[in-house]
Amino acid sequence: MMKHGFLVFCLWTIGLVAPHWAFGRTNTTVTIVGEDFYINGTPAYAGRVWRGRRIEGLLLNSRMVQATFDDRNTNTIARWAYPDTGRWDAERNTREFIAAMPDWRRQGLLAVTINLQGGSPEGYSSAQPWENSAFNPDGSLRTNDFARLEKILDRADELGMVVILGCFYFGQDQRLADEAAVIRATDNTTRWLLEHGWRNVLLEIDNECNMSYHHDILKPARVSELISRAQRQQLDGRRLLVSTSYGGGAVPGTNVVAVADFLLLHGNGMSRPAAVAELVRKTRALCAKPKPILFNEDDHYDFNQPQNNFTAAASEHASWGFFDYRRKGEGFDEGYQSVPVNWGVSSARKREFFRLVAEITDSKP
């Protein structure tokens, strides 16, 4: 009887503390040292130099924001039907995303950007009638969405990959009832990540804070409040690394530069590589102390040219992220942001991107 009681006590104790250490979620730890990202205490791409430029410390990435996508609007869900089944399937989407991750990693990709409110599944949209949000209107977490996210974060942790996790997206943030709900969603997400023990997550409060957000606290003048709030949450002396991103070509605001752990830029609308390099220099000049600079969205390619936005960012020691969406007339194999997504390296554009990643990082796929 005593043995049985002791066993129950042990199991009960494990249940209380398990979220902090369970499931071996310490395979991958991302940290920052000066302008560099470190993975498990070693600079990312340690020792790598490409064309005379230091690649060590960069975090090359791709925008994969629809990894947990779902649509709760019955009037729009049919838009996302898979061509082979004629219907949308959120679980299939995440399952195929996870299946593709090892291939991306083999080719040198170290990070992916995911967003809990996705991104436009049509690439660029003037209106967003679909409802893709991992938050309930009051800011509580939707169980199914976070269950899918949990699987992705676990697999990234196993593979040595980092996830740049965004909370909010303009056109969907109005799904939250009010500012209190936005704050609650931020708190709940931060707490959930800390309690589950992942150390391979960088938190992005919102995607392009200078775009058309409904809630003022997500706009440039006040988003630093949420960055600081998420940073203040700690568990066992540990906190998340937090930032927010800006639209193409925008220099971060001084309030964000002052508090963010790393600075997120976008290259949309920037067709000249020289302008990308200049944006990095302007942003770095605002920093009172060294911080990593990372593009996690850019829809300009020319990967087979000596100069492109990717190489321009790398030449200034800024990480770069691939934004790939399906253009009008293109098929299912195109576009990592367009739903339904073929998560494989399934198009010429995807192959050219990964070829350059492998070359820059000296990876052997």
Side-chain angles (χ1 to χ4, degrees):
M1 196 68 179
M2 282 184 63
K3 289 182 179 179
H4 176 73
F6 180 71
L7 178 61
V8 170
F9 172 77
C10 289
L11 293 173
W12 176 79
T13 303
I14 289 170
L16 285 179
V17 301
H20 307 294
W21 57 266
F23 318 118
R25 286 174 177 153
T26 53
N27 293 304
T28 305
T29 298
V30 60
T31 53
I32 290 171
V33 179
E35 295 182 339
D36 293 346
F37 290 100
Y38 277 51
I39 306 293
N40 296 335
T42 301
Y45 309 117
R48 180 61 178 161
V49 174
W50 179 76
R51 293 185 182 174
R53 301 294 184 174
R54 188 170 68 93
I55 302 303
E56 178 180 271
L58 297 185
L59 201 60
L60 304 185
N61 63 95
S62 181
R63 181 174 170 83
M64 311 291 206
V65 290
Q66 313 294 14
T68 62
F69 180 89
D70 203 3
D71 187 358
R72 290 172 174 82
N73 184 343
T74 57
N75 294 320
T76 55
I77 194 169
R79 296 187 188 188
W80 326 123
Y82 282 97
D84 59 342
T85 64
R87 65 184 183 88
W88 166 246
D89 185 339
E91 296 301 325
R92 171 183 173 178
N93 177 57
T94 298
R95 187 169 61 248
E96 292 181 353
F97 178 95
I98 292 170
M101 291 173 72
D103 190 29
W104 306 336
R105 181 65 186 86
R106 278 192 297 271
Q107 298 183 70
L109 197 73
L110 275 185
V112 293
T113 292
I114 296 172
N115 194 293
L116 294 171
Q117 293 190 321
S120 173
E122 297 175 335
Y124 292 98
S125 302
S126 57
Q128 297 185 46
W130 46 86
E131 184 178 351
N132 172 36
S133 180
F135 307 112
N136 291 305
D138 65 355
S140 58
L141 310 182
R142 284 177 159 153
T143 303
N144 290 344
D145 297 70
F146 275 81
R148 292 193 296 276
L149 176 61
E150 181 172 358
K151 295 174 184 177
I152 292 167
L153 296 182
D154 278 348
R155 189 62 175 128
D157 182 58
E158 293 167 359
L159 291 169
M161 297 183 74
V162 174
V163 173
I164 305 164
L165 180 65
C167 293
F168 308 106
Y169 184 74
F170 61 90
Q172 294 296 314
D173 74 298
Q174 73 273 18
R175 308 293 179 193
L176 291 142
D178 50 29
E179 184 170 299
V182 174
I183 293 171
R184 197 173 300 117
T186 304
D187 288 349
N188 288 339
T189 301
T190 305
R191 186 179 307 112
W192 183 85
L193 291 167
L194 289 170
E195 289 180 348
H196 282 75
W198 292 290
R199 297 170 185 255
N200 61 325
V201 178
L202 302 173
L203 192 66
E204 176 184 12
I205 295 297
D206 54 347
N207 174 84
E208 299 187 345
C209 66
N210 56 333
M211 294 295 122
S212 303
Y213 277 93
H214 179 77
H215 298 288
D216 286 343
I217 199 168
L218 293 172
K219 298 176 183 179
R222 294 188 57 203
V223 68
S224 56
E225 297 174 30
L226 288 178
I227 294 174
S228 297
R229 187 180 182 92
Q231 290 169 329
R232 286 194 298 270
Q233 281 206 56
Q234 294 192 17
L235 181 63
D236 299 332
R238 184 172 60 88
R239 70 167 179 86
L240 298 178
L241 299 170
V242 191
S243 189
T244 195
S245 64
Y246 286 77
V251 176
T254 54
N255 60 324
V256 167
V257 172
V259 299
D261 294 297
F262 55 99
L263 301 175
L264 289 170
L265 306 179
H266 286 178
N268 308 27
M270 303 184 72
S271 58
R272 293 190 308 109
V276 170
E278 179 63 16
L279 177 61
V280 176
R281 290 192 291 270
K282 287 180 178 178
T283 301
R284 186 166 284 133
L286 295 175
C287 298
K289 63 178 183 179
K291 294 184 179 186
I293 296 175
L294 186 154
F295 287 81
N296 69 335
E297 181 175 344
D298 193 339
D299 61 356
H300 293 85
Y301 315 125
D302 293 329
F303 299 127
N304 58 348
Q305 299 299 313
Q307 296 295 321
N308 54 61
N309 285 10
F310 187 171
T311 60
S315 73
E316 295 293 331
H317 199 66
S319 306
W320 191 85
F322 179 45
F323 170 31
D324 180 34
Y325 65 95
R326 190 177 299 136
R327 276 67 172 168
K328 186 176 180 180
E330 291 183 332
F332 173 60
D333 289 341
E334 301 283 353
Y336 280 134
Q337 180 158 307
S338 302
V339 182
V341 187
N342 183 336
W343 293 112
V345 184
S346 53
S347 70
R349 195 160 58 234
K350 294 173 183 177
R351 287 189 291 272
E352 288 173 1
F353 166 67
F354 277 104
R355 178 200 57 76
L356 186 52
V357 171
E359 177 187 331
I360 289 175
T361 63
D362 194 30
S363 297
K364 304 294 189 295

